[in-house]
Amino acid sequence: MERTVSAADAMLTDPETGAPLLDGMPRQRVAPSALAAPAAVPGSPVPCAPVPAAGPRPWLLLPTPKGTPFTFAYAAVLVATSLFARYAAPALTHALYRASSTDVAHLVHDPVQVLVASALWIAGGITSTYTLVFLLVLTALERRIGARRAAAVFLSGHVLATLVTEGFVGLAVLAGRLPATSLHRLDYGISFGVAASLGALTGLMPPWLRWPVLISFAAMLLQGLAAFADPMSDWGHVLSLAIGVALWPVVRGWQRGRPVAARVPAGVAAAV
């Protein structure tokens, strides 16, 4: 009796070896996956499942312990010192402000201590505009270049602008242009570091966002300088912003050296 082979049987092959199934054997069971998926050809690209695009994540605008440890820890310290300044005795608070002041007299005798201590307070308290700017700017900068480099940018503005402005005060006193009491002026806060950080961050923004932010902030600083209420601090803010802008080539190189997974998502980058 002649056996016939159906067309389906004739097309079946062994999924492991690729050889045709034996004609005289009962139909062998083949795994559904072997029938559904074609065998991969050596050297051909392996198809990958599409990765869904990440949507906007606005919570990344604020610091987190894991994502931005420097900004998060620094913000916690500033909250603590601001609450202390709000609820402590005014005489004690003023004494601490005076001991933390980066005036010429303190810088001459103990520069490191006062430079560190002065950055632990927010001039105007926690409700100051610089508090919100600090959170947004330092968070965005740290997500792009890392914690240690963001701290270096902040400190460069805080330290350099303080030394330059107070240096001019000391020279003006020596030249007789300012009274000797100017050597003991009250000067503390985070504003110089924040201005430098914002200047550096604008160098990492797309041009359509960079120039409006930079021009708006510079105009605000120049307006304060024109008011002549506190010219030395106002000049320090302008100098700090210029320091941040001068760091554009450095921070751009740092951002290019960061792993792609560690950078802030594009949607968040455009927002800040």
Side-chain angles (χ1 to χ4, degrees):
M1 183 176 179
E2 185 179 0
R3 293 191 302 270
T4 59
V5 180
S6 66
D9 289 336
M11 297 300 293
L12 288 175
T13 58
D14 190 309
E16 296 182 358
T17 64
L21 296 177
L22 295 178
D23 184 25
M25 297 295 293
R27 186 178 219 181
Q28 300 175 28
R29 303 182 65 174
V30 181
S33 59
L35 295 175
V41 179
S44 63
V46 179
C48 298
V51 179
R57 289 178 283 177
W59 57 88
L60 293 179
L61 297 174
L62 296 177
T64 59
K66 184 178 180 180
T68 54
F70 166 69
T71 307
F72 186 86
Y74 196 0
V77 172
L78 292 175
V79 168
T81 56
S82 298
L83 291 176
F84 177 86
R86 177 183 289 270
Y87 295 107
L92 176 59
T93 301
H94 183 75
L96 290 174
Y97 284 162
R98 178 61 64 186
S100 304
S101 176
T102 50
D103 52 41
V104 177
H106 281 108
L107 287 173
V108 169
H109 293 94
D110 203 347
V112 176
Q113 178 179 327
V114 293
L115 283 170
V116 172
S118 64
L120 301 180
W121 307 94
I122 303 176
I126 200 170
T127 58
S128 169
T129 305
Y130 276 100
T131 303
L132 180 60
V133 178
F134 167 86
L135 290 175
L136 295 178
V137 169
L138 264 293
T139 298
L141 185 63
E142 185 174 352
R143 290 193 187 279
R144 288 162 173 78
I145 64 176
R148 287 181 293 182
R149 291 166 176 175
V153 172
F154 181 91
L155 289 175
S156 66
H158 176 70
V159 173
L160 294 178
T162 297
L163 293 179
V164 171
T165 53
E166 294 299 336
F168 275 111
V169 171
L171 292 176
V173 171
L174 289 176
R177 305 296 296 272
L178 288 175
T181 54
S182 299
L183 300 177
H184 304 276
R185 60 189 296 269
L186 194 61
D187 189 12
Y188 64 91
I190 60 173
S191 57
F192 288 176
V194 171
S197 300
L198 188 144
L201 178 62
T202 55
L204 305 178
M205 293 178 177
W208 64 267
L209 183 61
R210 174 190 310 144
W211 298 113
V213 171
L214 186 60
I215 292 172
S216 299
F217 190 70
M220 183 187 73
L221 297 183
L222 293 176
Q223 183 179 4
L225 187 61
F228 212 71
D230 188 359
M232 295 311 300
S233 294
D234 293 331
W235 274 116
H237 293 143
V238 174
L239 178 59
S240 300
L241 182 64
I243 291 172
V245 172
L247 290 174
W248 281 4
V250 178
V251 296
R252 286 169 176 170
W254 284 343
Q255 185 185 42
R256 285 192 296 269
R258 291 270 289 171
V260 176
R263 299 178 191 171
V264 67
V268 179
V272 294

